[in-house]
Amino acid sequence: MEHTLSRLLAHDRIRAARRHVERADAVTLARQAALSATPAPTGAETARGARVAELFREIGLAEVAVDQAGNVRGWFGNGNGSGPVVLAAHLDTVFGPEVDVRVTRRGHRLEGPGISDNARGLAALVAVAEALVTTGVTTARPILFAATVGEEGSGDLRGVKYLLNGTHNVGAQHAAPLPNAAPLHATPAAFIALDGAGLDRVIHRALGSKRYHVTFRGPGGHSWAAFGVANPANAVGRAAALLADLPIVTAPRTTCAVVGLGGGTGLNSIPQEAWLDLDLRSEDPRALAQLDVTVRAALERAADDENRTRSAGTPPLRLEAQLVGDRPCGITPRAHPLVQAAIAANRALGRDAELASASTDANAPIALGIPAIALGAGGKAGDAHLKTEWYENVEGALGIVRALLVAVAMAEVG
């Protein structure tokens, strides 16, 4: 792969594409700020998606369309009928519609909710496509540029699962045909997600998660007169304590966190229901499955323990565990040509590669056996998922050049 990257860096049109990226750095930064200032809460990405579709058409991608999930697609190259390389970035942010997403500049720093995650990835996506089209690069495989919906939180990777549904039964709830969008006629040869800022990390391990909204329901009643009935609030407390005492698993790292809880109607009422939200995570699918079994057993025990204390003749608690998020885990091996291409690209740009794990759009293809990684799109950033999020364009162009090199290495430049 080192030889492949050396050949690419010496290729006249790839050199021209790199120069285009570097010359267009200010334009890319302006696009990033404009996209960031266009609200895109998870589930409401339409306005930002429409702007990305306009940009795709302006720069000359083919068959630009928005699919039924809301993903924006554009094609580069015709290839030879083989599986495409997919370069993707997610449209949505973690911020709700009430958040002011205007961008401000303070010196060299851009500040605004979502300015890095993932306005940077989207701007880089457009920049790579524009560089390839403008300089006339040809590839043996087509490249699909995709701006996806539903990557964050409750989106549960909805967009990328739908995107891959042309070749795999992923996300059955979104399994309708794909009108107005070019289908994936063949399994992708590689999938590269551009997510946030940075230049060092190569994310090849998919951090999986299962997320539950757990509800305990009982008869409720007056806190004095009905005392002795099974109390959903007590069951939530019992469950949280049991989960807090679970052994810590470090190899592979596997975690269970109580991330929210609530219930009750007043200071003198036993609640009829109480709830807690859980986030289970692991890099290993077997470990995640085992944790899932353990957590469910703890929830059942909490309900049973509370039911054993209730007054005779009163109804028992009912337990409902609703799965609200299911992100698969897995790995693209370090030895795979895609990971090696990213490592070699970092080295060619004078940077060491840091192999890492995270939860990104790459999770879905990895789980399907499609080689996939996620890359930062250059620059420095901080305060991700906070209203104070910021981005500084330090070596920003290098991040885009890295993405370009990895994409064309996998698409096989003609």
Side-chain angles (χ1 to χ4, degrees):
M1 192 52 70
E2 296 282 353
H3 174 73
T4 300
L5 263 293
S6 296
R7 183 174 59 82
L8 285 177
L9 288 167
H11 192 290
D12 286 345
R13 296 204 176 187
I14 299 302
R15 292 170 65 185
R18 177 175 181 172
R19 288 195 297 271
H20 185 278
V21 167
E22 292 168 345
R23 287 197 300 267
D25 195 34
V27 173
T28 298
L29 197 62
R31 286 173 178 159
Q32 179 180 344
L35 288 168
S36 187
T38 304
T42 300
E45 302 96 332
T46 303
R48 185 176 288 185
R51 179 56 187 143
V52 171
E54 289 176 0
L55 289 170
F56 278 3
R57 294 187 183 98
E58 289 171 9
I59 64 178
L61 289 181
E63 300 180 62
V64 176
V66 180
D67 67 28
Q68 286 186 338
N71 300 314
V72 182
R73 306 174 177 200
W75 288 88
F76 170 79
N78 296 317
N80 55 15
S82 56
V85 171
V86 180
L87 191 64
H90 69 86
L91 287 161
D92 59 322
T93 73
V94 300
F95 303 101
E98 76 285 354
V99 175
D100 184 350
V101 292
R102 284 179 294 182
V103 176
T104 59
R105 181 185 288 274
R106 300 182 191 278
H108 297 294
R109 177 173 289 191
L110 294 177
E111 297 181 358
I115 185 63
S116 174
D117 184 13
N118 193 30
R120 181 61 189 173
L122 290 169
L125 185 72
V126 174
V128 172
E130 184 177 43
L132 294 176
V133 172
T134 301
T135 57
V137 173
T138 59
T139 56
R141 296 181 183 276
I143 301 176
L144 173 63
F145 288 84
T148 61
V149 298
E151 190 273 345
E152 298 285 6
S154 61
D156 198 34
L157 307 183
R158 180 174 66 90
V160 69
K161 289 177 181 178
Y162 187 86
L163 181 73
L164 297 174
N165 195 52
T167 53
H168 295 280
N169 185 24
V170 180
Q173 69 271 33
H174 306 296
L178 304 180
N180 305 318
L184 301 185
H185 296 297
T187 300
F191 184 103
I192 304 158
L194 301 179
D195 202 330
L199 186 56
D200 296 331
R201 294 208 306 166
V202 176
I203 296 166
H204 72 119
R205 304 192 303 276
L207 178 59
S209 65
K210 286 182 176 291
R211 288 154 178 172
Y212 286 100
H213 180 72
V214 180
T215 307
F216 295 92
R217 293 188 174 89
H222 193 281
S223 56
W224 172 263
F227 187 81
V229 302
N231 189 332
N234 288 351
V236 164
R238 292 177 189 273
L242 288 170
L243 296 174
D245 288 339
L246 290 179
I248 296 174
V249 179
T250 57
R253 188 180 179 208
T254 304
T255 63
C256 172
V258 176
V259 295
L261 48 82
T265 57
L267 287 174
N268 59 351
S269 301
I270 295 170
Q272 290 185 301
E273 67 175 49
W275 57 267
L276 70 164
D277 288 336
L278 304 177
D279 183 20
L280 288 58
R281 295 189 182 228
S282 181
E283 296 177 358
D284 182 82
R286 289 185 297 268
L288 185 58
Q290 181 56 57
L291 177 63
D292 192 31
V293 171
T294 302
V295 166
R296 285 178 170 271
L299 296 174
E300 294 285 354
R301 179 181 166 186
D304 290 345
D305 287 350
E306 180 61 22
N307 282 330
R308 275 196 295 271
T309 68
R310 76 186 193 278
S311 300
T314 60
L317 286 180
R318 290 176 290 117
L319 165 64
E320 177 186 311
Q322 179 186 5
L323 183 65
V324 294
D326 189 0
R327 294 178 177 233
C329 48
I331 185 169
T332 301
R334 178 180 181 136
H336 191 279
L338 175 58
V339 181
Q340 288 299 306
I343 293 171
N346 266 48
R347 190 172 293 120
L349 298 173
R351 301 296 292 257
D352 291 330
E354 175 193 342
L355 298 182
S357 69
S359 180
T360 70
D361 266 345
N363 284 44
I366 286 175
L368 292 168
I370 298 169
I373 59 173
L375 302 172
K380 295 172 59 177
D383 289 356
H385 291 195
L386 298 177
K387 295 179 183 178
T388 52
E389 189 172 349
W390 56 268
Y391 173 83
E392 292 180 359
N393 199 38
V394 178
E395 298 182 316
L398 279 186
I400 299 172
V401 170
R402 176 176 69 162
L404 183 149
L405 290 175
V406 177
V408 296
M410 301 310 295
E412 302 172 18
V413 171

